[in-house]
Amino acid sequence: MTFARALAVLERRQEAKIVLGLARMRRHLLRLGRPQAKLACFHVAGTNGKGSTCAMLESVLREAGYKTGLYTSPHLFNVRERIRLGGRPIPEKDFARLMVKTTAADPGKELTYFELLTSIAFQYFAEKGAQAVILETGLGGRLDATNVVAKPLATLISSIDFDHMAYLGETLSAIAAEKAGIFKAGVPAFCPGLKPVALKILRARARKLGAPLAVLRKPWKTVAVDYPRNRQVLSDGRRRWTVGLLGSRQGANLALARSALESSPLGVSEAAWRRGLARLRWPGRFEVRRHGAKTLILDGAHNPEAMAELVRTFDASPWGRKPVRWIIGVMKDKDYAGIIRAAAPRLSEVVAVRPPSPRALDSLTLAREIRRQVPRAHVSVESDPRTALRSWLKTPGAPKTAVVCGSFYLVGEVSRA
């Protein structure tokens, strides 16, 4: 099978199709010899921040000399980005080879798009002898395909807020219960300070399982920021480390990663922490790019909590009080009204676009919602993200700063452009 053929097989499973549950994956992986049981994993869930936390763990462990596996979603450019060994995407030939093996072990074609990729990741990491694997849940936790790992090294929940309510529930309590579904008996669990209603659920689940839960209420603090180089200096009061990621929540993510890794049997030196964080790159999270005299900021910000974090980071940046064009595109199954509400105080010039996804909200509907919430804003509609980017770059008098946000699919398309 060629890589192109493997992609075609994957696409037929429809990325937008979500069917939660573990029975399919367990039956399938049993046919393959349970590759996930051979892996030492950190399992990370959360409404926001889980990808950045995973990236920190992987980069530091790699610098410490471990052969690392990293499984994340979604991807920005190529699906192979989701499955990384030693920081490198799975090669096309391995992806295609394992697609043959995976589909052969799925005779009824039961697995979803995400489940196929999860299986390939488990197989690839196991056959290559990955010593430390970092797994990011796709959706929720309890019924997510990654939750077939029975005994991870640690479980982490980066945040809990409203997102994917059609699948996870309409209340914070319900959403917290789904996230807490990754906790395992006797396995250390970590979370930041959360809203009391969510924390109550996590504590109850941890007590029931006998999982020691650490609530980290003191994030590392930002003491310096280098926006053009996409890095900041964080401190816990004793140490100062440069982190190759911007954003107001990275201090909380670092506290999680540090505590989880310290609880594990994997030894990591201070030098490895310093190198791993400094060399970290994780595109699409308040990523600053320069285009001549213009500045482009890329951020997935695909739910209200993420958009609020983006606004906080943007307000503290050198561009926070300057004219800016917001280029926004969202998914129709997201709380797009809540996303706009979180950004509304900053919206004066907005371009509504449709991200390249079958789940995308059409740009006219998004524009109507922006006009409803921010009637004073100048709102326009562009046919596609590339046109919106080109217009901003080439139109005389356009603001020198643009923020592209609302979806990782949008961020990926603009990055390609």
Side-chain angles (χ1 to χ4, degrees), residues 1 4-14 99 103 116:
M1 182 182 286
R5 175 64 177 163
L7 280 183
V9 170
L10 180 64
E11 291 300 329
R12 281 202 293 272
R13 299 296 173 105
Q14 302 173 32
M99 181 63 79
T103 51
L116 278 180

Side-chain angles (χ1 to χ4, degrees), residues 151 155 180-187 189 202-212:
K151 198 75 172 178
T155 58
I182 70 169
F183 289 175
K184 301 295 186 297
V187 174
L202 266 58
R203 288 190 189 280
R205 179 64 178 169
R207 280 196 301 270
K208 183 177 181 179
L209 292 173

